[in-house]
Amino acid sequence: MTSHLHALTFDANDPARLARFWAGFLGWETTHDPYGAIALLPHDDTGFRIRFLPTQEQKAGPNQTHFDMTSKSPEDQQQTVAKALELGARHIDIGQRPEEGHVVLADPEGNEFCVVGPGNNFLADCGFIGALACDGSQEEGYFWSRALGWPLVWDQDQETAIRSPHGGPKVTWGGPPLLPKTGKNRLHFDIAPPADGDQQAEVDRLVSLGAKRLDIGQGEVGWVVMADPDGHEFCVLPPGL
């Protein structure tokens, strides 16, 4: 049996502050986390939590994963941007063009996210969080489709996307050219086998799909740190979470 996407985890210099921003922006509530992180629980069909873990490392360069938020109308887009700014976000310029129709922002620790304008057919019916947009190869999309058991919903020109059969956001990979990786990613996936699953068996399965185990100095912990085919870190948690 495949694992499920338990959470998207942020490394944060101030986890409490970053959690307050995203809780206020998304309207999610905090929930218990067995590993001492600050965790937010979705109130919609997003399907995964957002967790915030402390780090001393400062952000260096653009993240390789970001949220694409959706809008129902131009007014709705403006209100979403205004809400984010009021909570502590700021406008940033990453070379976007006005005709692209989306607003690029950064949260209080500089993590990029986009507020996409209305009428985006690709993100239709995906909810407020339309997508987790990732820098990654076609092989990456194939890996995560098999790892999570989510079908491919886009596979064209080396760009891929998957989506849970239960709905919620898409996870997309933009294909080449890929950004150079500069140290550990600030955002990573936490996945977990089902309650009747086996962590080691799942690690072995993921290795057979192209992942590898990593040592990032985690020591003796209850989760296994791995890297997907593009070298992006993720964690396999114990079953049942």
Side-chain angles (χ1 to χ4, degrees):
M1 297 179 68
T2 58
S3 286
H4 68 276
L5 178 56
H6 174 72
L8 176 70
T9 296
F10 285 69
D11 288 348
N13 300 124
D14 188 341
R17 181 188 183 209
L18 203 57
R20 284 195 301 270
F21 170 82
W22 284 103
F25 184 58
L26 297 173
W28 293 12
E29 301 291 334
T30 57
T31 188
H32 170 71
D33 186 272
Y35 297 111
I38 301 175
L40 305 181
L41 189 67
H43 61 73
D44 53 20
D45 67 349
T46 298
F48 56 85
R49 305 176 183 209
I50 300 177
R51 303 171 69 239
F52 303 90
L53 286 171
T55 182
Q56 298 299 316
E57 298 293 327
Q58 298 296 312
K59 186 175 185 293
N63 289 338
Q64 296 189 325
T65 298
H66 70 266
F67 286 126
D68 282 338
M69 319 303 298
T70 62
S71 303
K72 298 176 182 177
S73 66
E75 295 74 21
D76 182 49
Q77 184 184 27
Q78 293 171 4
Q79 291 170 4
T80 297
V81 170
K83 181 178 181 180
L85 296 174
E86 181 180 351
L87 291 168
R90 67 180 188 275
H91 287 279
I92 58 172
D93 183 355
I94 59 170
Q96 70 271 23
R97 299 184 299 274
E99 63 269 22
E100 291 174 344
H102 59 266
V103 178
V104 184
L105 301 172
D107 71 16
E109 292 200 1
N111 300 299
E112 305 86 358
F113 64 101
C114 296
V115 183
V116 179
N120 186 297
N121 293 331
F122 183 71
L123 301 180
D125 82 355
C126 287
F128 183 44
I129 300 178
L132 297 179
C134 307
D135 188 67
S137 65
Q138 185 180 50
E139 182 184 7
E140 185 97 329
Y142 293 167
F143 168 82
W144 281 106
S145 176
R146 295 189 293 266
L148 296 174
W150 291 10
L152 283 163
V153 294
W154 181 263
D155 185 9
Q156 186 172 312
D157 300 327
Q158 299 190 61
E159 298 178 354
T160 51
I162 63 175
R163 191 183 186 196
S164 167
H166 305 293
K170 294 176 178 176
V171 184
T172 71
W173 292 271
L178 305 181
L179 293 173
K181 192 170 184 298
T182 56
K184 181 179 180 293
N185 287 348
R186 208 152 181 90
L187 284 73
H188 70 264
F189 291 151
D190 287 325
I191 67 175
D196 60 349
D198 179 272
Q199 186 184 43
Q200 184 56 55
E202 179 63 356
V203 168
D204 292 342
R205 184 182 75 90
L206 294 167
V207 168
S208 75
L209 295 177
K212 63 180 181 181
R213 296 185 66 138
L214 282 184
D215 184 352
I216 57 171
Q218 66 268 24
E220 294 296 325
V221 293
W223 57 90
V224 178
V225 181
M226 305 191 74
D228 63 26
D230 280 358
H232 301 307
E233 302 87 0
F234 69 96
C235 295
V236 182
L237 306 177
L241 290 179

